[in-house]
Amino acid sequence: MAKKAIDEWSLGYQITKMTCRVGFNNFYKKTEAVHRERVNMERPVLMAPNHQNALMDALSVLFNIPLQTVFLARSDIFKGNFVIKLLTFFKILPIYRIRDGAEKLKKNEEIFQLTLQILKNKQTPLCIMPEGNHGDKRRLRNLVKGVFRIAFMAQKEYGTNPGVQLMPVGLDYSNYQKFGQTLLVNYGEPIEVCEYYEEFLQNEPVAINKLKERLANEMKKYMIHIESEEYYDSYMMLRTIYNSNMREHLGIKGNSIYDKFKADKEMIRILDIDSLQEKTQPIHKDVIEYSKVMEDNNLRDWVFKKSKYSFAGILGSFLLLILGFPFYLLGLVNNYIPYKIPTFFTKNIKDPQFHSSFKYAIGVISFLLYYIILLVLALIFLHPWWLKIAYLVLLQPSGVFAYRYYIFVKKWNAKIRYNRAMRRKNKDVIRMFEVRKNIVSAMDGLVREALSKN
């Protein structure tokens, strides 16, 4: 019996994908995928996402299109027969780098031939992270040449006619490591490799560099790209402080993840304008000071939007907490152990960009096994029958409720601490309330000036 090609549709893979996607959707509070219609398999598709969050980047692409995408990953993770079989089952192929040894680079030829066949078959996209490895900043790094070599090799069959589509994909996480965050998957407008093929035949290095520059510029359109090293943290904090105001200036009425992304992109563009740098520097200094005081007082930006929070509102929240406590307790008892297991295992992982990947992978396994145990116990010991059904139905939602209840408690407590600081005339907190207003006011002036020149 012939060995099944890696890009052939697999029932076992599809079942695994559907199961793991449930865990993925629970790991992120909200995920938005935009422009998925651009993934058109009438011709070969070579996807190129930015790479900042280890395994989660690949899963972000995989779980947001209905295809069984094939990935290329660095070869050093292919260790041991079991791991190799597992990665192959998940449609992941190794790519060898110079650091892996000159003798191993020869193996790339076989991999390249496989990728060409995958692209030729047009059954699924081929996905390569063109930065080569992951970073810890929302910034596009230098692209490696492997993706362009594959693109031109696959384009050979089509010549100068439309063939291979090189698709930039932008990924943006509200937080890399934490559970319950948001994720944007932004499928870009495909680049036609045929536009560069004639020049490739005449001068390969020049054509590769031109396509490389084009892809880098396109990728930057669909992701958050912050050039500044000195004020990187300030840019990130301004995304939190000023996003709603920026949307107002742009006439964006929605508050979807993509709406917020568009506002952030325009704000970053304005902050990068050379002629405005003299005005932006005082803003950055205020933002840095503001961030430090927030951290020192364990407060978040949303708290400083008001000078104080009403007693009636705090009391009303307390009553809601009392009413919701039994449901919180149910969710806590049923979900605490599998929720904490991933955190325990990630403590010794040095690279923080791998934390969410390990939390997700271990979480899927621990929740699945733990839920199976609880389901068996419920079927044996709970009576009458309707109680069994109620328990099974509430098992997972109660866990989500418990987590949101926990966040609600933290926000309720923050309001109380903030009011207390204001009442006791805490100089730092009072000053930061004013500094925040000044930041917003200065940004308003900056944005109006920039938009008036457009």
Side-chain angles (χ1 to χ4, degrees):
M1 185 176 178
K3 186 178 178 182
K4 194 171 185 178
I6 196 169
D7 60 330
E8 284 187 45
W9 192 89
S10 164
L11 177 60
Y13 179 94
Q14 189 66 18
I15 292 171
T16 305
K17 176 181 175 179
M18 291 170 64
T19 303
C20 293
R21 185 176 180 177
V22 172
F24 189 85
N25 290 341
N26 280 295
F27 189 87
Y28 290 103
K29 177 176 66 176
K30 188 176 181 182
T31 299
E32 283 183 16
V34 294
H35 306 308
R36 276 182 288 202
E37 72 282 355
R38 290 173 175 169
V39 184
N40 183 355
M41 293 310 302
E42 291 181 4
R43 291 188 283 122
V45 175
L46 183 53
M47 288 185 171
N50 58 303
H51 197 15
Q52 299 168 355
N53 202 14
L55 174 66
M56 304 309 277
D57 293 336
L59 296 180
S60 298
V61 175
L62 174 65
F63 289 143
N64 284 288
I65 54 174
L67 301 167
Q68 297 188 354
T69 308
V70 178
F71 294 88
L72 273 121
R74 65 192 201 200
S75 63
D76 58 342
I77 66 173
F78 288 76
K79 293 180 179 178
N81 290 332
F82 174 75
V83 173
I84 291 172
K85 287 180 180 179
L86 187 65
L87 292 173
T88 304
F89 171 78
F90 285 120
K91 300 183 184 291
I92 302 173
L93 294 170
I95 190 77
Y96 298 90
R97 301 165 295 175
I98 294 175
R99 70 183 70 174
D100 299 319
E103 70 284 354
K104 289 190 176 181
L105 280 177
K106 297 176 182 178
K107 295 183 179 181
N108 277 340
E109 290 304 320
E110 182 183 348
I111 299 299
F112 285 151
Q113 291 306 314
L114 273 174
T115 61
L116 295 180
Q117 191 59 49
I118 290 165
L119 291 169
K120 183 178 180 179
N121 291 343
K122 296 181 288 186
Q123 296 184 95
T124 181
L126 178 67
C127 184
I128 308 176
M129 311 293 176
E131 292 166 284
N133 52 30
H134 63 256
D136 62 350
K137 295 287 190 295
R138 289 161 178 82
R139 176 187 301 127
L140 186 69
R141 291 163 293 117
N142 290 332
L143 308 185
V144 296
K145 292 184 178 180
V147 63
F148 308 107
R149 183 182 174 191
I150 291 171
F152 280 120
M153 287 170 67
Q155 182 61 33
K156 184 178 180 180
E157 182 178 337
Y158 299 90
T160 56
N161 297 317
V164 178
Q165 305 167 86
L166 182 54
M167 174 175 284
V169 182
L171 306 175
D172 186 50
Y173 306 82
S174 57
N175 186 284
Y176 291 134
Q177 289 88 31
K178 292 182 179 179
F179 168 82
Q181 302 300 304
T182 62
L183 164 64
L184 176 68
V185 184
N186 196 353
Y187 295 93
E189 192 72 44
I191 300 168
E192 295 289 353
V193 178
C194 65
E195 295 175 14
Y196 301 85
Y197 191 70
E198 188 171 344
E199 186 160 23
F200 175 77
L201 295 176
Q202 298 170 6
N203 192 321
E204 287 188 21
V206 171
I208 286 174
N209 285 332
K210 284 187 177 180
L211 184 55
K212 181 180 176 182
E213 183 180 0
R214 170 79 179 279
L215 177 61
N217 289 333
E218 289 298 311
M219 288 179 72
K220 289 174 184 177
K221 292 179 184 179
Y222 300 103
M223 59 179 280
I224 294 296
H225 177 76
I226 301 173
E227 291 275 6
S228 174
E229 290 277 358
E230 182 180 4
Y231 294 124
Y232 177 85
D233 291 335
S234 175
Y235 276 70
M236 287 299 295
M237 179 52 67
L238 282 168
R239 291 181 67 194
T240 300
I241 296 172
Y242 197 68
N243 187 275
S244 60
N245 300 78
M246 192 70 224
R247 277 180 279 139
E248 285 184 27
H249 283 291
L250 297 175
I252 299 174
K253 295 181 180 180
N255 65 345
S256 68
I257 303 173
Y258 186 51
D259 289 329
K260 293 175 182 178
F261 169 82
K262 289 185 288 185
D264 282 341
K265 289 290 289 182
E266 181 62 11
M267 182 192 74
I268 291 167
R269 184 193 70 81
I270 291 170
L271 289 171
D272 283 343
I273 296 174
D274 290 337
S275 61
L276 297 177
Q277 292 309 297
E278 190 175 334
K279 295 179 180 179
T280 62
Q281 288 182 11
I283 296 174
H284 288 312
K285 289 178 181 177
D286 281 347
V287 172
I288 291 167
E289 181 189 3
Y290 174 70
S291 301
K292 185 178 184 305
V293 173
M294 277 201 305
E295 185 177 345
D296 291 344
N297 289 271
N298 193 24
L299 293 170
R300 297 289 180 268
D301 172 69
W302 63 267
V303 182
F304 288 89
K305 290 182 178 181
K306 295 182 179 181
S307 59
K308 66 176 184 178
Y309 291 86
S310 70
F311 175 76
I314 291 174
L315 179 61
S317 296
F318 179 67
L319 294 174
L320 288 175
L321 289 173
I322 292 174
L323 291 172
F325 185 74
F327 301 100
Y328 163 74
L329 204 57
L330 175 67
L332 184 68
V333 170
N334 287 321
N335 295 273
Y336 184 76
I337 292 176
Y339 174 76
K340 293 301 289 185
I341 286 174
T343 305
F344 174 80
F345 278 100
T346 53
K347 283 181 179 179
N348 297 322
I349 296 173
K350 293 180 181 179
D351 186 346
Q353 300 313 106
F354 272 106
H355 281 201
S356 59
S357 299
F358 274 87
K359 286 177 182 176
Y360 162 74
I362 297 169
V364 167
I365 297 169
S366 60
F367 269 99
L368 184 61
L369 294 177
Y370 194 73
Y371 277 5
I372 289 172
I373 293 169
L374 291 182
L375 291 175
V376 171
L377 292 174
L379 292 172
I380 294 172
F381 295 107
L382 284 183
H383 301 284
W385 63 267
W386 60 265
L387 191 58
K388 298 179 193 283
I389 294 174
Y391 180 78
L392 301 183
V393 169
L394 292 173
L395 188 56
Q396 189 271 339
S398 69
V400 175
F401 178 85
Y403 177 77
R404 291 179 180 173
Y405 183 95
Y406 166 72
I407 299 298
F408 191 84
V409 169
K410 289 183 70 174
K411 290 186 174 182
W412 176 73
N413 183 50
K415 291 176 183 179
I416 293 174
R417 289 189 293 107
Y418 179 73
N419 275 4
R420 185 187 301 127
M422 284 296 203
R423 190 170 60 252
R424 294 178 178 176
K425 302 191 183 303
N426 182 305
K427 291 181 181 179
D428 283 342
V429 174
I430 291 173
R431 170 168 161 68
M432 286 309 103
F433 173 74
E434 295 299 327
V435 167
R436 189 187 190 280
K437 288 201 299 185
N438 292 338
I439 291 169
V440 172
S441 177
M443 283 295 298
D444 282 339
L446 197 73
V447 169
R448 288 193 192 100
E449 180 179 346
L451 293 179
S452 68
K453 294 178 180 179
N454 282 356

